Amino acid sequence: MAKVALEKLIAGVCGGGVVSFPTDTVPALATLPEKAGLIFATKQRSQDKPLILMGASAEDLWPYVQGSPEEYQIWQQVVNQYWPGALTLVLPASDRIPQAMNPHDPTTIGIRVPNSAIAQAILSRTGPLATTSANLSGQPALQTMAEIDAQFPDVLTLEFTSEEFFSENTILSQPSTVAKWTGNNWKILRQGAVNLSI
């Protein structure tokens, strides 16, 4: 059992460990970007399935992507409309992104700001984290901290009841929508909770 209070969870992830916390979609597994390999190992995840960089705000995430001033303007417009929320944007990665986050294609990175007070409180303290859904690869996403604690006993999970978890926000049982920037438009890679107008 590895349920811990908020301060210990933050200390654990900043110390290089893997943690789990609720988001506005499914609960996340998270670690420092440079420790992303730990998540691939924990989930038994294929290297061709990249992780998402999650942050407390768009301003925290912009240094991890690169584009022209015109592209930033387009991206900012989308962010203003849909963030915080269940939309992941796949953008050209800057050199600040460790290759371990996307071993198959390190030139791109998915970024997201969750609409979750708990997640934002953690991310504002830790800085952006490498994240993915909390489950073994290929299996359904786990929905509660108790399920995550049982399947991943070495992962630090937030100590509170599932009732508290579900009352804090409207939790979406489906994952985020994933939209990739192609250089002049958006391509939907996964249709999730948000319908992006493109």
Side-chain angles (χ1 to χ4, degrees), residues 50-51 64 90-93 97 101-102 105-110 180-181:
L51 304 181
Y64 295 89
V90 179
L91 303 175
I97 291 290
M101 282 203 62
N102 190 354
D105 180 14
T107 65
T108 65
I109 186 67
K180 182 176 183 178
W181 180 249

Side-chain angles (χ1 to χ4, degrees), residues 58 62 70-91 111-113 177-181 184-188 194-198:
W62 289 139
E70 293 77 17
E71 286 177 317
Y72 273 107
Q73 190 172 8
I74 293 168
W75 302 342
Q76 186 69 56
Q77 288 173 350
V78 171
V79 162
N80 291 345
Q81 185 173 353
Y82 294 102
W83 280 4
L87 175 66
T88 298
L89 300 179
V90 179
L91 303 175
I111 60 173
R112 184 165 98 82
V113 175
T177 296
V178 179
K180 182 176 183 178
W181 180 249
N184 54 22
N185 209 333
W186 298 102
K187 178 183 179 182
I188 303 299
V194 166
N195 287 313
L196 178 64
S197 300
I198 55 174

Side-chain angles (χ1 to χ4, degrees), residues 24-45:
D24 51 345
T25 58
V26 294
L29 287 178
T31 192
L32 297 173
E34 59 269 25
K35 298 288 187 178
L38 292 175
I39 291 184
F40 283 98
T42 299
K43 281 192 60 145
Q44 301 167 28
R45 185 178 177 90

Side-chain angles (χ1 to χ4, degrees), residues 144-163:
T144 68
M145 293 294 108
E147 290 175 338
I148 294 162
D149 193 44
Q151 186 158 98
F152 300 109
D154 296 331
V155 170
L156 297 181
T157 57
L158 205 51
E159 184 176 39
F160 61 173
T161 67
S162 59
E163 287 76 18

Side-chain angles (χ1 to χ4, degrees), residues 46-74:
S46 168
Q47 295 277 306
D48 62 354
K49 295 180 178 178
L51 304 181
I52 290 171
L53 190 69
M54 195 175 282
S57 69
E59 289 68 34
D60 290 345
L61 293 170
W62 289 139
Y64 295 89
V65 301
Q66 59 183 354
S68 68
E70 293 77 17
E71 286 177 317
Y72 273 107
Q73 190 172 8
I74 293 168

Side-chain angles (χ1 to χ4, degrees), residues 6-7 10-11 14 56 60 119-128:
L6 184 64
E7 293 299 321
I10 290 170
C14 290
D60 290 345
Q120 288 189 24
I122 293 167
L123 294 162
S124 66
R125 299 272 300 278
T126 62

